[in-house]
Amino acid sequence: MAIKNTIKNYIGIVVLYILSWINAFKLKLGILKEKYGIIGFFQVDGLKLSRRMNSEDMIEALKEFDSFKPDDVIISTYPKTGTHFTMGIVYSIFEEKGLVALNSQHSHIAAMEMRAPAIMRIITGQKQAAGPLGHLETCKSPRIFVTHLPWDFLPPAVRENKVKVIFSDRYK
């Protein structure tokens, strides 16, 4: 019995030792990725953005985007403030008014600063769009755009075309 406990203790120590090396390697790899820009963050006008969801060329192209239509709706929310809930309410209103077909939300909703993952394009039948913001132009009208970017980062065409904007923020 004592030998079994001793062996378990040794195995436990070896496993912890191996896990500590794995964690150290992950930490070092993360630092290298951030240092060389593979993963990490970048700054645009003082706003720190993640490379996992955004890219510099997409943010720059968004500043010049002017293909808004008068029936477009932009849902601009602070992260974790009910983005999907707000999206669902707006889409339900569109369905009730008969503006969109039932269960066709994937062809009407797009994230402004994030490109849809390849798997979502395959499921919804979307083709790879040209340019960094081509996915916004392929949406059917009326379009619902979702963003976490602040008001200053939205294109000037938003104010000129009188696009409807729904803003949600945290209350503390």
Side-chain angles (χ1 to χ4, degrees):
M1 192 57 125
I3 294 176
K4 279 187 177 180
N5 289 339
T6 306
I7 291 173
K8 282 184 182 178
N9 289 340
Y10 281 132
I11 290 174
I13 291 171
V14 169
V15 168
L16 287 175
Y17 181 73
I18 291 170
L19 289 175
S20 69
W21 273 100
I22 290 172
N23 287 334
F25 178 73
K26 285 180 181 178
L27 179 67
K28 184 68 173 172
L29 184 64
I31 291 170
L32 289 174
K33 284 181 179 179
E34 188 168 339
K35 180 178 179 184
Y36 294 108
I38 300 168
I39 293 179
F41 300 94
F42 65 96
Q43 284 198 349
V44 177
D45 298 335
L47 183 66
K48 193 173 185 179
L49 299 168
S50 170
R51 287 188 197 282
R52 292 183 184 200
M53 295 197 275
N54 306 305
S55 67
E56 290 97 335
D57 62 335
M58 191 172 282
I59 299 297
E60 290 302 318
L62 187 60
K63 290 180 180 178
E64 303 298 322
F65 186 73
D66 62 350
S67 298
F68 290 107
K69 300 174 185 172
D71 62 346
D72 289 345
V73 175
I74 297 175
I75 300 172
S76 177
T77 61
Y78 186 82
K80 301 290 182 189
T81 58
T83 307
H84 289 91
F85 179 74
T86 308
M87 227 171 24
I89 290 173
V90 171
Y91 190 77
S92 296
I93 293 170
F94 280 12
E95 279 183 343
E96 285 293 318
K97 296 278 185 181
L99 299 173
V100 295
L102 291 173
N103 298 321
S104 65
Q105 62 263 29
H106 293 296
S107 58
H108 292 279
I109 299 174
M112 288 181 75
E113 75 273 13
M114 295 177 271
R115 190 172 287 147
I119 189 70
M120 285 302 293
R121 287 195 305 269
I122 291 169
I123 290 171
T124 60
Q126 293 178 351
K127 294 182 174 63
Q128 178 69 29
L133 295 178
H135 66 287
L136 298 181
E137 295 171 2
T138 60
C139 284
K140 293 180 183 175
S141 193
R143 303 178 296 184
I144 302 172
F145 297 130
V146 182
T147 184
H148 291 309
L149 293 175
W151 177 259
D152 300 340
F153 279 75
L154 295 179
V158 171
R159 293 176 278 282
E160 294 167 6
N161 289 340
K162 296 185 177 30
V163 177
K164 294 164 226 52
V165 179
I166 298 172
F167 180 73
S168 175
D169 198 6
R170 286 188 159 192
Y171 177 74
K172 292 185 180 186

